[in-house]
Amino acid sequence: MRAIVYNEYGPPEVLKLTEVEKPVPLDNQVLVKIHAASVNYGNLVLLKGEPFLARFAFGLLKPKYSIPGGDIAGRVEDVGKKVKHFQPGDEVFGDLSGCGWAGFAEYVSVPEKALALKPGNLSFEEAAAVPMAGVTALQSLRDKGKIQPGQKVLINGASGGVGTFAVQIAKALGAEVTGVCSTRNLDILESIGADHCLDYAKESFTQRRERYDLILGVNGGLSLSDYKRVLNPNGIFVHVGGSSSQMFQAMALGPLISIFGSKKIGSFLQRANQQDLIYIKELVEAGKVKPVIDRCYKLSEVPDAFRYFEEGHTQGKVVITI
């Protein structure tokens, strides 16, 4: 089968399309013929081995996983004898980040817990855009952010992969949502139901009088003090993405700030979870959440997809058609 392979950390040029052995499912695995995959920030971490701390999980000197790619959508081709919930022909989608990655390939064998039945109202390309970004948004809002109906929620970096899902999920959970993005992305935020859309080039939400119960920092390099200033008493800030310095600040200083005040500051790392994936599937099928896709690339164009993704201006998700 064809797959994108790399054997050293580096720029997108280290990614090579090559022929590798087609996997055979173990007793507890599902063999999926992949029709589409997508690019996430985690893929960029795997590619570059940065921040350096990530290498303790992904390989200190060289990549532990030779085929990158986390999100997939495809059709079940074969199942191991202990698989209970899937059968050949099922259309599925899933997040492989917890079981070896390997999504940028024509086939993959994975434990059935990594998969869920694909939403019936999405194409394979649309479904591949959902798992990691959708679950990240859900877990950061619900589990870390403790979102409640009626709260005022701000999403900084609302037009990217995680941001577009966060806006819609927060709305589905009953919040009043403000999205922050660039001028060219305002229409996207309006189309996915944001109550208020702020253009950061024209005004900074940190200078406004509005206060928020929950803020998700999905992008941007603002300081923790900037975010803290616009939180309500007992408000929560969750760092999901952005600059490395902001991430380390949230990890190191967040617990101290949270201990000595009523406002809470924390960082968040997504964990693949089948039940959360099923929850997102139900929101999608109910019409409450839809993926936003910026561009589609072929498997042979994965390096180009990474170059574009690295620029940091994607509108929703970058998808790989296989």
Side-chain angles (χ1 to χ4, degrees):
M1 70 171 186
R2 297 184 307 152
I4 294 292
V5 175
Y6 75 130
N7 297 302
E8 61 179 318
Y9 293 119
E13 287 74 22
V14 302
L15 299 168
K16 306 296 182 184
L17 181 64
T18 187
E19 291 284 335
V20 299
E21 197 73 22
K22 179 180 175 181
V24 176
L26 301 177
D27 287 351
N28 67 334
Q29 288 186 328
V30 177
L31 176 65
V32 180
K33 178 176 175 57
I34 302 173
H35 290 276
S38 70
V39 181
N40 295 283
Y41 177 73
N43 304 134
L44 203 58
V45 173
L46 258 70
L47 172 65
K48 295 183 170 244
E50 298 174 355
F52 189 83
L53 285 176
R55 297 194 182 200
F56 290 96
F58 300 139
L60 192 59
L61 300 178
K62 64 179 184 178
K64 180 179 178 180
Y65 307 107
S66 59
I67 303 175
D71 288 342
I72 65 162
R75 185 173 281 108
V76 174
E77 184 165 291
D78 196 8
V79 298
K81 61 184 181 182
K82 293 184 180 179
V83 172
K84 299 179 180 179
H85 302 294
F86 299 100
Q87 59 186 2
D90 284 345
E91 295 183 351
V92 296
F93 72 143
D95 175 1
L96 312 185
S97 63
C99 56
W101 301 80
F104 295 153
E106 292 181 319
Y107 293 89
V108 69
S109 282
V110 293
E112 60 180 329
K113 68 178 182 179
L115 304 171
L117 292 175
K118 179 178 77 66
N121 57 340
L122 296 186
S123 67
F124 286 115
E125 286 78 12
E126 291 170 326
V130 173
M132 195 177 296
V135 171
T136 297
L138 173 65
Q139 292 177 349
S140 59
L141 288 165
R142 182 195 63 193
D143 303 337
K144 192 72 175 181
K146 311 299 182 184
I147 190 171
Q148 297 296 321
Q151 286 188 328
K152 291 186 176 181
V153 175
L154 182 136
I155 315 295
N156 188 25
S159 60
V162 173
T164 51
F165 282 106
V167 168
Q168 296 175 84
I169 292 171
K171 284 292 295 178
L173 295 176
E176 179 184 332
V177 181
T178 298
V180 181
C181 66
S182 63
T183 307
R184 75 187 187 106
N185 295 327
L186 291 173
D187 288 346
I188 290 176
L189 293 196
E190 291 176 2
S191 73
I192 59 176
D195 296 293
H196 313 285
C197 305
L198 298 183
D199 181 351
Y200 64 73
K202 295 182 178 180
E203 62 176 329
S204 172
F205 68 87
T206 64
Q207 303 302 316
R208 303 173 82 234
R209 300 180 66 178
E210 194 72 42
R211 297 296 180 262
Y212 302 94
D213 302 298
L214 171 60
I215 299 175
L216 256 58
V218 185
N219 204 353
L222 296 175
S223 68
L224 295 186
S225 60
D226 285 331
Y227 284 114
K228 183 182 176 184
R229 185 167 60 251
V230 293
L231 281 174
N232 278 324
N234 302 311
I236 299 175
F237 166 73
V238 181
H239 176 275
V240 181
S243 66
S244 295
S245 62
Q246 187 189 87
M247 177 184 71
F248 289 121
Q249 283 181 35
M251 292 175 65
L253 300 179
L256 292 175
I257 294 172
S258 301
I259 289 173
F260 294 107
S262 64
K263 300 177 182 181
K264 307 300 180 185
I265 306 288
S267 58
F268 172 79
L269 291 175
Q270 176 260 5
R271 289 176 174 81
N273 182 291
Q274 187 184 51
Q275 290 306 309
D276 286 346
L277 189 59
I278 292 171
Y279 183 89
I280 298 291
K281 170 185 180 288
E282 292 170 350
L283 289 179
V284 170
E285 291 183 330
K288 296 181 179 180
V289 171
K290 62 180 180 181
V292 176
I293 295 177
D294 187 334
R295 297 185 182 183
C296 290
Y297 292 83
K298 299 176 183 177
L299 184 61
S300 60
E301 298 171 331
V302 164
D304 293 328
F306 271 85
R307 291 185 194 99
Y308 177 65
F309 186 81
E310 274 188 291
E311 294 175 4
H313 302 298
T314 57
Q315 298 173 303
K317 294 295 299 291
V318 174
V319 171
I320 310 300
T321 300
I322 301 173

